[in-house]
């Protein structure tokens, strides 16, 4: 299977905590299909060897027949030993044909499995794209009519749901059937059965889960909404298989025009080291050494500004990070090698342009596959830090920061400069970003977080990419269960740090394979860590002034 929708996750490992699913990676479904193909190839090789053995057996059988003239006493025993090997029904050639036929069946099964998954995913996405395009072409009157019909359908659906929930209390066979929805096993089931049970079970006239739509609901709707946006513009547009990047590109152009109108087109990016009072020369050698995914996300968390009044462990005021800041940590190992950890926060402002490069403009450019200042900030910081080709790097990012991390790891030009061995993303829409060979990625997502599904695609089930999906409603920590009540809380970096803590020591093949790749960068815990922060600011581009690196602005 090439993809598993985030709205219907399939765990690849059997003994996972409740509400936690692992998709893709070394234990993913696609890896199992690769195993089927490898088994088919092995069977083909076995068939060739069996046919060669059959030819030798037939030669020996002929020699036994010729030997009957001068060794009549031994010939019957030798012939009896050889007859099964050359038999048409049980012999080596029959076994070779059986092996070749089994190999063909395995390949057909793997291909059918992959095609079926693609067909289902295409059907769900394509239906929404067509519907969104048709409604978008209707114009304002058509939109109003479609909205009215949708509202009427929603009211009718809620009315029917209330009626079915009331019928649970009726002393009738139908009531008895409906009351089975309250069973814990039915409530915890995956797929349509579990969804139906959660809709019909529980107290009250409406289900507790009937509120803001979750990621399972939003993801298949995103392509349709993007198609509607494109079709609603002037002129006629052809339907696209994946309209989300094109819609993001259209919005990016619109926001660029808006920034010109409101006077915020600051397009020159300046990146410089952050110099603090306790480290007048820049780097701080007293940096905590990361060992786990949770440690990496804690580094990202420390880059966000803290609420007023926050104090550090010594009781001193701790404002946290500065807007536009990234962290680059150098790990010097005992054997003389060097590796790096780059921590990247997410969007910090909803502005369209302005001094902070981590804004909505960068978001849209990342979604559209266009050059963006958020990625430029990180790559310049990595260059200023002195990262050399061949030195392994792990990139960790939250939200937009995860998009930037995957953007760097997927760029063949940047990967010639930086050896990205591992990527960690938290709450990031990165399904359509491909990795270069040699990079392992771990994507942490919450079912109540809508941001990771804004690309409208499920993360691919690929041996290089592992996705961990946590249902915060069944999380072991009370703070995470509380965060499940709102999309904002579910998207917060604090909730993702707590989810990452659950992965420490998790016995899941996909996660342990990623942990091994991560350990190859972080080392055995004996390295010396030195951290430097870099800040990026957009400034107006003066005309005729020499730009860094040559040329003029």
């Amino acid at each position: 299977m090439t993809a598993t929708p985030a709205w219907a996750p399939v765990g690849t490992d059997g003994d996972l905590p409740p509400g936690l699913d692992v998709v893709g990676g070394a234990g993913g479904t696609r890896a199992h299909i690769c195993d089927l193909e490898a088994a088919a190839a092995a069977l083909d090789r076995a068939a060739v060897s069996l046919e060669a053995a059959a030819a030798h057996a037939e030669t020996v059988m002929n020699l036994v027949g010729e030997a009957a003239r001068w060794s009549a006493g031994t010939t019957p025993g030798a012939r009896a030993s050889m007859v099964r090997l050359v038999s048409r029904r049980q012999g080596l050639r029959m076994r070779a044909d059986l092996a070749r036929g089994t190999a063909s069946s395995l390949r057909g099964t793997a291909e059918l499995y992959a095609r079926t998954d693609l067909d289902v995913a295409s059907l769900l996405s394509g239906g929404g794209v067509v519907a969104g395009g048709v409604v978008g072409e209707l114009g304002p009157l058509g939109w109003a009519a479609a909205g009215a019909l949708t509202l009427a359908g929603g009211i009718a659906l809620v009315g029917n749901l209330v009626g079915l929930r009331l019928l649970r209390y009726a002393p009738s066979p139908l009531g008895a059937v409906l009351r089975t929805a309250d069973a814990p096993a039915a409530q915890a089931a995956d797929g349509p059965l579990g969804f139906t049970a959660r809709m019909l079970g529980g107290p009250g006239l409406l289900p507790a889960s009937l509120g803001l739509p979750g990621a399972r609901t939003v993801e298949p709707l995103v392509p349709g909404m993007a198609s509607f946006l494109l079709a609603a513009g002037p002129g006629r547009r052809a339907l696209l298989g994946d309209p989300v990047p094109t819609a993001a590109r259209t919005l990016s152009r619109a926001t660029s025009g808006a920034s010109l109108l409101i006077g915020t087109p600051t397009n020159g990016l300046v990146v410089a080291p952050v110099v603090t009072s306790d480290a007048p020369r820049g780097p701080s050698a007293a940096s905590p050494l990361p060992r786990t995914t949770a440690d990496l996300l804690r580094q990202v968390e420390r880059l966000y500004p803290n609420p007023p009044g926050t104090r550090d462990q010594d009781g001193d005021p701790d404002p946290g990070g500065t807007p536009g800041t990234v962290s680059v940590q150098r790990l010097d190992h005992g054997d003389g090698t060097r590796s790096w950890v780059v921590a990247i926060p997410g969007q910090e402002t909803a502005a369209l342009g302005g001094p902070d490069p981590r804004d909505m403009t960068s978001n849209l450019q990342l979604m559209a596959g266009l050059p963006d200042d958020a990625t430029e900030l990180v790559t310049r910081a990595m260059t200023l830090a002195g990262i050399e080709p061949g030195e392994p790097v792990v990139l960790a990012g939250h939200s937009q920061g995860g998009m930037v991390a995957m953007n760097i790891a997927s760029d063949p030009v940047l990967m010639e400069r930086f050896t990205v061995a591992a990527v960690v993303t938290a709450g990031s829409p990165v399904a359509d970003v491909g990795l270069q060979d040699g990079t392992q990625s771990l994507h942490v997502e919450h079912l109540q977080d809508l941001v990771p599904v804004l690309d409208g695609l499920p993360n691919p089930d690929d041996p290089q990419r592992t996705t961990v999906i946590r249902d915060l409603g069944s999380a072991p920590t009370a703070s995470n269960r509380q965060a499940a009540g709102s999309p904002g809380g579910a998207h917060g970096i604090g909730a993702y740090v707590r989810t990452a803590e659950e992965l420490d020591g998790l016995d899941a093949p996909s996660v342990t394979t990623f942990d091994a790749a991560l350990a190859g960068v972080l080392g055995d815990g004996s390295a010396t860590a030195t951290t430097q922060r870099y800040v990026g600011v957009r400034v107006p581009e003066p005309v005729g002034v020499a730009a860094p690196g040559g040329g003029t602005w």
Side-chain angles (χ1 to χ4, degrees):
M1 194 187 306
T2 56
T4 301
W7 44 267
V10 178
T12 60
D13 304 285
D15 299 323
L16 293 173
L20 193 70
D21 287 284
V22 179
V23 177
T29 310
R30 182 172 175 183
H32 297 322
I33 291 180
C34 291
D35 290 341
L36 289 177
E37 294 170 346
L43 285 170
D44 281 335
R45 292 192 297 271
V48 172
S49 298
L50 286 169
E51 286 180 339
H56 289 302
E58 289 166 356
T59 300
V60 172
M61 192 67 169
N62 291 333
L63 292 174
V64 168
E66 294 176 1
R69 293 177 296 177
W70 50 269
S71 183
T74 60
T75 298
R79 183 178 285 113
S81 300
M82 297 296 300
V83 71
R84 294 186 62 183
L85 297 178
V86 298
S87 169
R88 292 184 177 181
R89 293 187 177 182
Q90 304 180 42
L92 294 173
R93 290 197 182 276
M94 186 277 294
R95 301 293 180 183
D97 291 339
L98 180 61
R100 189 171 285 108
T102 304
S104 178
S105 298
L106 287 176
R107 287 195 179 90
T109 300
E111 183 178 357
L112 178 62
Y113 199 1
R115 284 184 178 179
T116 300
D117 178 72
L118 285 174
D119 290 343
V120 172
S122 298
L123 179 63
L124 290 171
S125 177
V129 170
V130 171
V134 169
V135 175
E137 293 286 357
L138 294 178
L141 292 179
W143 305 339
L149 289 174
T150 302
L151 179 60
I155 293 174
L157 181 62
V158 171
N160 290 332
L161 182 59
V162 171
L164 287 171
R165 291 174 68 87
L166 287 174
L167 284 174
R168 290 181 301 162
Y169 304 104
S172 65
L174 178 59
V177 172
L178 292 174
R179 284 193 290 276
T180 61
D182 289 319
Q187 292 278 323
D190 291 326
L193 175 62
F195 176 78
T196 303
R198 289 186 287 273
M199 286 295 100
L200 297 179
L205 296 179
L206 290 174
S209 58
L210 192 64
L212 293 173
R216 292 179 175 181
T217 303
V218 170
E219 183 178 88
L221 300 179
V222 170
M225 291 186 285
S227 182
F228 168 81
L229 176 66
L230 292 174
R236 298 186 64 87
R237 291 177 179 264
L239 294 178
L240 302 173
D242 181 13
V244 175
T246 304
R249 194 172 298 115
T250 300
L251 289 174
S252 178
R253 295 193 187 101
T255 57
S256 297
S259 67
L260 288 171
L261 292 175
I262 62 179
T264 59
T266 49
N267 297 320
L269 182 66
V270 175
V271 180
V274 176
V275 179
T276 60
S277 58
D278 59 342
R281 295 185 181 181
S284 171
S287 302
L289 188 67
R291 299 297 306 278
T292 65
T293 298
D295 292 338
L296 297 178
L297 293 184
R298 288 190 192 98
Q299 289 197 6
V300 176
E301 184 178 30
R302 286 193 288 270
L303 294 173
Y304 284 103
N306 287 328
T310 302
R311 296 185 177 274
D312 60 19
Q313 58 185 2
D314 298 324
D316 299 323
D318 184 9
T322 303
T325 302
V326 298
S327 168
V328 182
Q329 184 178 63
R330 189 183 73 231
L331 303 179
D332 293 296
H333 303 279
D335 60 0
T337 60
R338 178 179 292 174
S339 59
W340 302 82
V341 175
V342 181
I344 315 167
Q347 177 187 336
E348 295 169 330
T349 174
L352 304 175
D356 192 342
R358 286 204 287 268
D359 60 356
M360 184 59 70
T361 296
S362 289
N363 263 351
L364 293 173
Q365 290 169 339
L366 283 162
M367 292 289 290
L370 299 172
D372 67 282
D373 285 340
T375 300
E376 181 68 15
L377 161 60
V378 176
T379 55
R380 287 197 199 178
M382 294 170 69
T383 300
L384 290 172
I387 300 179
E388 297 290 340
E391 296 178 340
V393 180
V394 58
L395 304 172
H398 168 240
S399 191
Q400 183 191 94
M403 297 168 68
V404 169
M406 287 294 289
N407 196 28
I408 294 172
S410 67
D411 190 322
V413 176
L414 291 177
M415 288 291 282
E416 290 182 359
R417 294 170 52 193
F418 308 115
T419 305
V420 179
V423 176
V424 175
T425 72
S428 306
V430 292
D432 60 343
V433 184
L435 284 177
Q436 298 293 308
D437 293 339
T439 303
Q440 284 283 331
S441 66
L442 177 68
H443 313 293
V444 187
E445 300 181 357
H446 294 151
L447 280 182
Q448 291 77 15
D449 183 3
L450 303 184
V451 174
V453 300
L454 290 181
D455 51 12
L457 295 170
N459 283 351
D461 182 353
D462 187 279
Q464 287 183 254
R465 301 184 62 176
T466 298
T467 302
V468 174
I469 305 170
R470 157 54 76 189
D471 179 2
L472 292 178
S474 58
T477 58
S479 51
N480 263 10
R481 292 194 297 273
Q482 183 179 3
S486 68
H491 186 61
I493 182 62
Y496 276 107
V497 169
R498 293 188 291 270
T499 295
E501 291 170 348
E502 297 181 51
L503 306 183
D504 190 16
L506 185 68
D507 186 17
S510 298
V511 176
T512 55
T513 299
F514 175 80
D515 287 344
L518 186 61
V521 182
L522 303 182
D524 59 2
S526 62
T528 300
T530 305
T531 301
Q532 173 67 63
R533 291 183 177 183
Y534 296 86
V535 63
V537 180
R538 291 196 190 109
V539 296
E541 294 181 340
V543 178
V545 178
T552 58
W553 278 328

